[in-house]
Amino acid sequence: MLKGMKVLGIETSCDETAAAVVEDGKKLLSNVVSSSVNLHVQYGGVVPEIAARSHIEAIMPVIQQALDDADCTWNDIDAIAVTYGAGLNGSLLIGVLAARTLAIVKKKPLYAANHVEGHIYANFLTQTTLPDFDMRTSQPEFPMLGIIVSGGHSQLVLWRDHFDYTLLGQTHDDAIGEAFDKVAKILGLPYPGGISLPQKAEHGNPLTFKFPKAKMAGKYDFSFSGLKTAVLRTAQEQVGKDHSLPSFELPGLLNDRQKADIAASFQKVAYETIVDKAALAYEEFAPKSVTIGGGVSANAGLRQQLAERIPCPIEYPDRKLCGDNGAMIATLGYFHALHKQPAADPYTLEIAPNLSM
Ligand code: KG4
Ligand code: ZN
């Protein structure tokens, strides 16, 4: 493997059109993210057709910007990595078709990256030429416990080495980010709930309501849908209505204090659900490192609870690398190449919207 290998990473699995150049799987040279989130706010969640259309408009300018910011021409790029799953069909298609075409035209090897693995690989970035990035001081060691907390996934994964891992457990219904988004909608807080709900919760008392923590058969499995329903029922009771009250009427009926207390009480149980199981896995498997990835990992409250409960120092990716980005995909692509994972055929690579770990 050539030293100084530069990988262009392309990520379009949801509502972010993202591209980045990473050198040697650790040095971030550019990171361009164009989000269509503002177009989805009025719907309280991502609308797949709008996301796909936005990707079409943004993909080529974003890729060009990533090359320019990295001070690279196509000659400098050694490989392309692209997210081929999991994600929204239309969104994935745009990134994969762009990557396939560029791999053929520019004659570059193409690596197909699993989005969820990618979130954890943001932790392998330790250097950058860019301003305002707080990078990890070293790459994580194996065995590594990975905690994935995003809008589409909540998973605990034990990595013995690159591409050698076991999925310990995952959510049986909503992902944690999805639960934040749905509860935010019940309370009339803007999308994404991962940002708006913790802000509201700062003004509330987390002990006001006792929301249930799901009991699962699988030791490391999660569930968030019961918690979301408990929030809905409590909100309906708080405004003196029965369970037939449509949830869209709640934001107008709940007062600020009730919203803040519900947000704080929900958030406490949501974090504990993840942290309890992560702490249990840490005890059982004694990993050398613990990594976290996904949009919700930017959350200060979750980071604090993990730090209190897991007796090993946890380093985090910069907050700008917690949500969807091309850098994590470029990094994962580098390790595909380093560990001789087969490159994808640019003429046939298909999307895998339901790809699992
Ligand atoms: O990883 P991500 O960007 O996309 C998926 O792969 O799903 O995660 C999106 C989720 C959303 O549910 C959103 O509410 C949450 O991450 N989120 C955050 C933050 N930004 C987005 N949660 C906590 N803190 C944030 N700053
Ligand atoms: Zn993601």
Side-chain angles (χ1 to χ4, degrees):
M1 179 60 44
L2 286 177
K3 201 175 166 325
M5 179 176 186
K6 292 191 179 83
V7 181
L8 170 74
I10 299 173
E11 154 61 42
T12 64
S13 66
C14 190
D15 58 339
E16 269 91 25
T17 316
V21 179
V22 169
E23 185 176 333
D24 286 335
K26 63 180 175 202
K27 188 170 182 183
L28 181 65
L29 303 183
S30 64
N31 184 53
V32 181
V33 181
S34 166
S35 179
S36 61
V37 65
N38 292 338
L39 303 176
H40 306 288
V41 168
Q42 60 176 309
Y43 306 103
V46 174
V47 182
E49 290 77 9
I50 296 177
R53 201 176 328 132
S54 303
H55 286 308
I56 294 173
E57 288 168 9
I59 186 82
M60 292 317 290
V62 162
I63 290 172
Q64 189 57 50
Q65 191 67 48
L67 293 173
D68 292 348
D69 289 358
D71 226 353
C72 283
T73 65
W74 278 105
N75 285 341
D76 302 313
I77 298 297
D78 298 295
I80 298 173
V82 65
T83 301
Y84 78 111
L88 300 170
N89 291 40
S91 291
L92 289 167
L93 260 179
I94 310 305
V96 166
L97 285 175
R100 285 173 53 180
T101 309
L102 288 166
I104 294 167
V105 173
K106 307 291 182 188
K107 299 188 174 53
K108 308 289 176 188
L110 176 65
Y111 292 98
N114 178 323
H115 178 81
V116 183
E117 288 176 26
H119 271 303
I120 290 299
Y121 275 75
N123 286 279
F124 286 82
L125 287 158
T126 54
Q127 302 167 17
T128 186
T129 49
L130 303 176
D132 304 325
F133 273 84
D134 189 11
M135 306 304 279
R136 288 180 53 119
T137 55
S138 61
Q139 293 188 324
E141 287 181 72
F142 297 104
M144 164 180 86
L145 176 65
I147 307 167
I148 296 128
V149 279
S150 74
H153 296 87
S154 304
Q155 298 185 326
L156 283 177
V157 181
L158 185 70
W159 263 268
R160 284 169 291 276
D161 201 345
H162 294 289
F163 308 105
D164 176 11
Y165 59 70
T166 303
L167 175 62
L168 301 178
Q170 61 184 330
T171 183
H172 280 213
D173 38 61
D174 295 347
I176 182 169
E178 193 179 356
F180 270 78
D181 295 337
K182 287 180 175 170
V183 169
K185 201 168 179 180
I186 291 171
L187 300 179
L189 305 172
Y191 176 83
I195 296 177
S196 62
L197 192 140
Q199 285 168 352
K200 193 73 181 172
E202 272 178 33
H203 308 287
N205 177 355
L207 304 177
T208 311
F209 303 106
K210 280 234 158 334
F211 291 130
K213 232 184 269 179
K215 291 198 173 44
M216 307 298 292
K219 194 172 173 188
Y220 295 112
D221 285 342
F222 308 104
S223 163
F224 288 99
S225 77
L227 173 59
K228 176 200 62 196
T229 306
V231 167
L232 176 62
R233 299 289 174 248
T234 299
Q236 289 163 327
E237 283 156 21
Q238 284 297 300
V239 298
K241 302 282 183 183
D242 67 21
H243 296 169
S244 63
L245 179 78
S247 61
F248 63 79
E249 289 189 20
L250 282 166
L253 297 173
L254 289 163
N255 65 35
D256 252 12
R257 162 110 332 255
Q258 288 169 322
K259 287 182 188 178
D261 288 340
I262 291 173
S265 304
F266 157 79
Q267 181 182 259
K268 176 175 179 293
V269 174
Y271 293 160
E272 277 173 11
T273 303
I274 298 287
V275 175
D276 285 354
K277 306 241 162 161
L280 205 61
Y282 182 83
E283 246 173 60
E284 180 170 348
F285 300 104
K288 279 200 180 143
S289 66
V290 178
T291 53
I292 185 161
V296 182
S297 68
N299 191 288
L302 179 60
R303 290 179 175 199
Q304 189 186 332
Q305 272 209 24
L306 278 170
E308 284 165 8
R309 296 276 304 281
I310 295 189
C312 94
I314 307 178
E315 283 194 75
Y316 296 93
D318 185 280
R319 285 196 160 76
K320 294 184 280 306
L321 299 172
C322 287
D324 294 347
N325 63 81
M328 65 189 201
I329 300 304
T331 308
L332 178 54
Y334 168 81
F335 284 101
H336 271 273
L338 187 68
H339 290 269
K340 310 258 184 297
Q341 301 288 306
D345 182 344
Y347 289 94
T348 58
L349 176 63
E350 302 228 15
I351 59 167
N354 298 318
L355 183 67
S356 60
M357 294 284 287

